[in-house]
Amino acid sequence: AVEHTFSIIKPDATKRNLTGSVNAVIEKAGLRIVAQKRVQMTRAQAETFYAIHRERPFFGELVDFMVSGPVVVQVLEGEDAIVRYRDVMGATNPANAAEGTIRKLFALSVGENTVHGSDSRENAAIEIAQFFAGNEIVG
Ligand code: CMP
């Protein structure tokens, strides 16, 4: 089915001027960028977004990183977009990411790993709603 997934191009990538390079991989994979904006996340936004990881030892580091510079938030549309984007991103740790994936191409470490993508339909809907109004998504 045609799905929407939520993507973040993270501060390690925006700092290195890689927004267009990441988007080229997304588009080449057949996913359509149907909403996109560059924002500076607040600490409160990052803590809410990653609330599921609140008890993890890396939570503080994760929030610090996500507010360390601009991010580009996106909605991607395509057939089975959620699982397809996870394939395009590659493994969370770039050391384990397959050739040609965004994280293999660009990520610096498990923390500075260039992109986020939703892991389920339920989370995609929650994450999209945190950053976009319905009329900002134009397919
Ligand atoms: P993301 O898909 O955005 O969701 C949670 C993030 O936590 C994950 O990508 C990683 O960037 C980050 N993360 C996971 N494990 C670690 C770790 N051991 N140290 C720092 N960050 C981590």
Side-chain angles (χ1 to χ4, degrees):
V2 174
E3 293 174 342
H4 283 169
T5 193
F6 180 72
S7 163
I8 305 177
I9 301 178
K10 296 187 181 185
D12 67 283
T14 61
K15 278 181 201 155
R16 288 179 290 153
N17 218 19
L18 291 173
T19 299
S21 300
V22 171
N23 279 348
V25 179
I26 290 170
E27 291 185 331
K28 223 166 256 165
L31 292 163
R32 186 169 286 274
I33 301 164
V34 294
Q36 174 169 262
K37 57 191 169 191
R38 181 169 166 111
V39 299
Q40 173 63 52
M41 271 203 209
T42 64
R43 190 161 285 275
Q45 267 179 317
E47 286 173 352
T48 299
F49 185 79
Y50 282 120
I52 194 165
H53 297 304
R54 204 175 283 276
E55 304 307 322
R56 304 272 191 107
F58 57 81
F59 181 71
E61 190 186 320
L62 175 59
V63 170
D64 286 346
F65 169 58
M66 293 302 288
V67 304
S68 70
V71 299
V72 176
V73 292
Q74 307 174 306
V75 180
L76 309 181
E77 181 181 270
E79 190 69 26
D80 299 321
I82 294 161
V83 68
R84 291 228 344 259
Y85 188 45
R86 291 186 74 83
D87 285 346
V88 172
M89 290 193 295
T92 302
N93 186 341
N96 302 325
E99 286 301 325
T101 62
I102 292 169
R103 286 168 172 157
K104 177 70 176 191
L105 287 165
F106 305 121
L108 302 174
S109 66
V110 68
E112 296 190 306
N113 67 351
T114 307
V115 281
H116 165 84
S118 307
D119 63 2
S120 67
R121 277 200 184 192
E122 185 190 3
N123 284 334
I126 292 168
E127 292 173 3
I128 288 167
Q130 280 177 38
F131 291 93
F132 292 101
N135 66 0
E136 292 178 305
I137 301 163
V138 184

